[in-house]
Amino acid sequence: DARVRLVDQANAGLAAARNAALALARGEFIAVADADDFQLSNRFDVLMRRFREDQNLDVCGGGVESWTGGNDRGNTLLMPTVDEEIRAGMPFESMMFDPTVMFRRRILAPPIRGYSRDFRMAVDYDIWSRLLSGVRFGNCPLVLPRYRRHNNQVTNLEGRTGRSLVERRQIWARLSDELFCIRPGEREF
């Protein structure tokens, strides 16, 4: 399929890889996929159906099933499906499972511009939280990929260091400031 291009680059982190892919993308929709996850064959059909049903939808994802490989069945994790519920949960954690997400390419126009290289663990949470003010979110109530769990994934390796929590707290602080209209330098602790 000529629409699929293989890109090889040095490992500069998740944000750099995703931004390189975004720079090459030409279609109306972008689908996120991680190499260590197993994408279900109906994923794109399910997501495109949602976009056709709701022309105002900008970002759509779904549920995941954690998986350690082979025929093992893991836990199924589903997220809220409607925009209002997704927005209500975002100040506390990401309501979008990044390896399930498909979005309209146009939503990453300035000032968003793509994934922030300021984060290593919370790259996805950061981008979805920055998009809260301008896009409409949705999730399908279905498992779309099997999310592979293994000892060498970044979530496990760096999650033990507390880096994820530090990054998430930075995002929480930004969201709190935006929600409560706090200007830089006004925060008191």
Side-chain angles (χ1 to χ4, degrees), residues 58-129:
D58 296 303
V59 180
C60 191
V64 296
E65 177 185 287
S66 62
W67 175 54
T68 56
N71 292 323
D72 295 338
R73 306 281 305 197
N75 295 326
T76 296
L77 304 168
L78 299 175
M79 287 297 198
T81 58
V82 297
D83 185 68
E84 294 78 15
E85 293 172 0
I86 292 168
R87 288 176 185 287
M90 283 296 264
F92 307 103
E93 66 178 295
S94 181
M95 296 284 108
M96 307 302 295
F97 288 123
D98 214 41
T100 72
V101 170
M102 181 182 281
F103 57 91
R104 296 181 192 276
R105 184 168 53 119
R106 66 171 165 70
I107 67 171
L108 295 185
I112 299 299
R113 292 194 180 96
Y115 290 85
S116 173
R117 295 182 76 164
D118 293 340
F119 300 99
R120 180 160 170 82
M121 298 289 299
V123 170
D124 54 341
Y125 185 31
D126 171 65
I127 196 167
W128 308 130
S129 67

Side-chain angles (χ1 to χ4, degrees), residues 28-29 46-60 81-84 86 102 104 106 135-140:
E28 178 183 356
F29 294 95
V46 167
L47 291 170
M48 287 308 299
R49 189 174 325 116
R50 282 294 303 273
F51 282 108
R52 283 191 298 274
E53 291 169 357
D54 184 351
Q55 296 293 316
N56 295 317
L57 188 61
D58 296 303
V59 180
C60 191
T81 58
V82 297
D83 185 68
E84 294 78 15
I86 292 168
M102 181 182 281
R104 296 181 192 276
R106 66 171 165 70
V135 306
R136 184 174 158 98
F137 290 90
N139 277 311
C140 299

